[in-house]
Amino acid sequence: MKHPCIAIDVSKESSHIQGFYELNKKASDPLEISHDKVGFDLLKNMMESICLETSKEVVVVYEDTGVYDKPLRMYLAENGISYATVNPLLSARYRKKNLRAVKTDKKDCSNIAKVYFNEDIKYKFEENTYYSNLRKLNRYYEEYVDHLRKYKVNFRETLDTVWPGFNDVFSDIFTELPLSIIEHYGHPYKLKRVRKTTLVKLIMKNSSHRESWCERKALDILNYVNSTQSGCPEDDILASIIKDKVSTIKFTLDKTEKYLTELIELSKNDTNFTLLTSIPGIGENLAARLIAEIGDISRFNNAKQLVAYAGIDPQVYESGSYKGKFSISKKGNKRLRSLLYLAVSCSLRTKLQNNSFKDYYKRKTQQGKIHKVVLIACCNKLIRVIYSMCNTGTLYEY
């Protein structure tokens, strides 16, 4: 017999709450509350009232919205109130069971209650603060990486106008030396009035090479300056804009490196870090980010649950004479899915001979499977290997 519940339809700044003694037996009408102390105290009062009437513990049930339910979740945790979350996809499935499905904030409370009473809904798993901090740090790191990618694309467009062909002088234009030269001078024509000795000193300051190498590189830069044709005059506003773009890129690069270092150092406290780095193709970067997205692996009862959490569990759709093709559900952690894809790609590029993923890839491709399908199969294999290694505490073995 299920406990009475209070179903909550969570919105951005307010929510609708409704109490239920049991399935289809309401304890109250829907009530809108604000996401503040006053609103949440109304929720607590309703819970205490139902508890007095039934002499049973009351469970708060709501859809896991990801962001909007954070204040509610914090209030429930601080007051020791039992709560459970409902998957929005499961809630939508119940709503669509009606021939004339109607979606309103008030009716959603009743729908959430139906899911709670009919399904085996477990109480919310309280994640360890350590894994929560790891995940937040990884998301913040990925945010900076995403910004950096956009900054680099926009920078190249301006670079090809102001400094056309300058990226041919360096193997990587986004290193300290070329960025410092662009930031210092802004326009290539300004280098025509600079002595070679001055340029050599600037190169030595922003690189770790010997003086002989710096002199050769200074000569290459001066040869480039004398032969290039810039797309804008020396006093053009783009010369100032590109200096500002370089400053932004250098700042973002520093922040990206800083948070990645913090993420790796923090993840080393996890016993699974050493296990993951023993897998071919997974270094400290990938191991730290995989731990951050998987979290506490002990909360998964078997490998299938972890595969479903990553959203790479297979599914098929068939209807009559139409025979559907297998695909992955993609109903899981998309960041973890991307990291697994990246890890498999790195593993296949390694030169190590004792690599079961490379052998598995070759075997499947020889059977006629296409590249992308085999990569997804390798991701499925990798996540199962990770689950087994972490549960047994053993390093990777060929």
Side-chain angles (χ1 to χ4, degrees):
M1 187 70 179
K2 289 286 186 75
H3 290 279
C5 76
I6 295 179
I8 306 179
D9 180 54
V10 181
S11 300
K12 185 175 181 179
E13 297 177 350
S14 63
S15 297
H16 283 78
I17 64 174
Q18 186 174 13
F20 291 86
Y21 295 120
E22 54 188 60
L23 182 63
N24 297 325
K25 189 176 180 181
K26 301 177 183 178
S28 67
D29 292 326
L31 172 67
E32 184 176 6
I33 63 171
S34 56
H35 285 188
D36 52 26
K37 290 289 184 180
V38 176
F40 291 144
D41 284 343
L42 290 175
L43 166 65
K44 189 176 181 180
N45 292 337
M46 179 184 291
M47 184 196 71
E48 292 174 347
S49 175
I50 298 175
C51 185
L52 287 173
E53 292 180 31
T54 61
S55 300
K56 295 181 180 179
E57 181 185 8
V58 180
V59 179
V60 173
V61 188
Y62 62 91
E63 286 183 344
D64 195 344
T65 58
V67 177
Y68 299 151
D69 63 354
K70 297 297 183 184
L72 171 64
R73 184 178 302 182
M74 181 60 68
Y75 179 85
L76 297 175
E78 289 176 349
N79 288 271
I81 299 174
S82 299
Y83 66 97
T85 58
V86 172
N87 190 312
L89 294 176
L90 184 60
S91 178
R93 188 183 303 169
Y94 267 79
R95 184 175 65 251
K96 293 175 182 178
K97 283 183 178 180
N98 296 324
L99 186 62
R100 293 178 176 83
V102 179
K103 186 184 186 311
T104 64
D105 291 337
K106 294 181 179 180
K107 288 186 176 294
D108 281 346
C109 292
S110 177
N111 188 60
I112 292 171
K114 287 180 181 178
V115 178
Y116 167 73
F117 285 112
N118 288 315
E119 299 289 335
D120 183 21
I121 304 297
K122 298 180 180 180
Y123 286 176
K124 184 64 180 178
F125 174 80
E126 284 297 334
E127 189 174 34
N128 187 288
T129 305
Y130 169 74
Y131 291 108
S132 177
N133 289 338
L134 267 180
R135 181 174 290 109
K136 291 173 184 176
L137 196 57
N138 180 56
R139 301 285 172 87
Y140 198 44
Y141 163 75
E142 289 184 351
E143 185 179 325
Y144 266 102
V145 171
D146 187 48
H147 288 318
L148 182 61
R149 190 180 299 114
K150 294 176 181 178
Y151 292 152
K152 285 183 176 181
V153 172
N154 293 330
F155 172 75
R156 284 191 179 276
E157 181 181 352
T158 311
L159 180 73
D160 291 338
T161 302
V162 185
W163 296 71
F166 190 60
N167 55 327
D168 296 332
V169 182
F170 297 90
S171 57
D172 185 2
I173 196 66
F174 295 107
T175 53
E176 180 67 26
L177 179 56
L179 290 177
S180 297
I181 292 174
I182 296 172
E183 186 180 26
H184 189 78
Y185 294 103
H187 198 281
Y189 291 172
K190 290 185 178 181
L191 280 166
K192 293 181 179 181
R193 301 188 294 272
V194 175
R195 292 181 179 181
K196 181 182 176 182
T197 54
T198 304
L199 184 56
V200 170
K201 290 180 181 179
L202 179 63
I203 295 174
M204 292 181 65
K205 181 181 178 181
N206 293 281
S207 68
S208 57
H209 295 280
R210 295 180 178 179
E211 186 176 353
S212 58
W213 184 92
C214 295
E215 289 180 352
R216 291 196 301 270
K217 183 55 69 174
L219 187 60
D220 292 340
I221 294 172
L222 292 175
N223 290 334
Y224 157 79
V225 169
N226 293 324
S227 62
T228 190
Q229 173 60 57
S230 179
C232 67
E234 190 174 330
D235 59 349
D236 194 271
I237 190 64
L238 277 180
S240 176
I241 289 175
I242 198 171
K243 293 171 69 174
D244 186 62
K245 287 188 175 183
V246 168
S247 299
T248 303
I249 288 174
K250 291 175 72 173
F251 172 81
T252 310
L253 282 169
D254 291 340
K255 284 292 185 180
T256 303
E257 185 66 26
K258 173 181 178 293
Y259 288 116
L260 179 60
T261 303
E262 289 184 11
L263 178 62
I264 292 174
E265 290 302 317
L266 186 60
S267 62
K268 285 181 178 179
N269 296 327
D270 192 292
T271 55
N272 297 327
F273 182 83
T274 305
L275 305 181
L276 292 183
T277 52
S278 67
I279 300 175
I282 297 183
E284 291 188 343
N285 184 332
L286 269 176
R289 296 171 66 188
L290 282 169
I291 291 173
E293 292 303 328
I294 293 175
D296 186 2
I297 202 168
S298 63
R299 73 183 193 272
F300 300 103
N301 296 326
N302 49 58
K304 287 185 178 180
Q305 289 185 358
L306 183 55
V307 169
Y309 175 72
I312 53 177
D313 47 322
Q315 61 178 10
V316 65
Y317 177 81
E318 295 181 353
S319 179
S321 59
Y322 172 75
K323 301 299 180 182
K325 296 182 179 180
F326 282 95
S327 61
I328 58 175
S329 66
K330 294 186 179 181
K331 295 176 181 178
N333 189 324
K334 64 179 182 181
R335 292 180 176 85
L336 176 58
R337 194 160 57 248
S338 299
L339 290 173
L340 291 171
Y341 193 91
L342 179 60
V344 166
S345 300
C346 293
S347 181
L348 295 179
R349 289 197 297 267
T350 58
K351 296 181 180 180
L352 295 174
Q353 297 300 321
N354 298 334
N355 189 339
S356 60
F357 303 104
K358 191 178 290 187
D359 295 341
Y360 183 76
Y361 177 84
K362 289 180 181 178
R363 187 166 66 252
K364 288 297 182 180
T365 50
Q366 288 172 356
Q367 294 174 0
K369 304 291 184 181
I370 62 176
H371 171 72
K372 189 174 181 180
V373 172
V374 179
L375 278 181
I376 298 300
C378 289
C379 290
N380 196 303
K381 178 180 175 65
L382 174 61
I383 196 70
R384 292 174 182 275
V385 169
I386 290 175
Y387 180 84
S388 177
M389 288 172 56
C390 293
N391 272 276
T392 57
T394 55
L395 297 172
Y396 172 82
E397 294 180 1
Y398 178 64

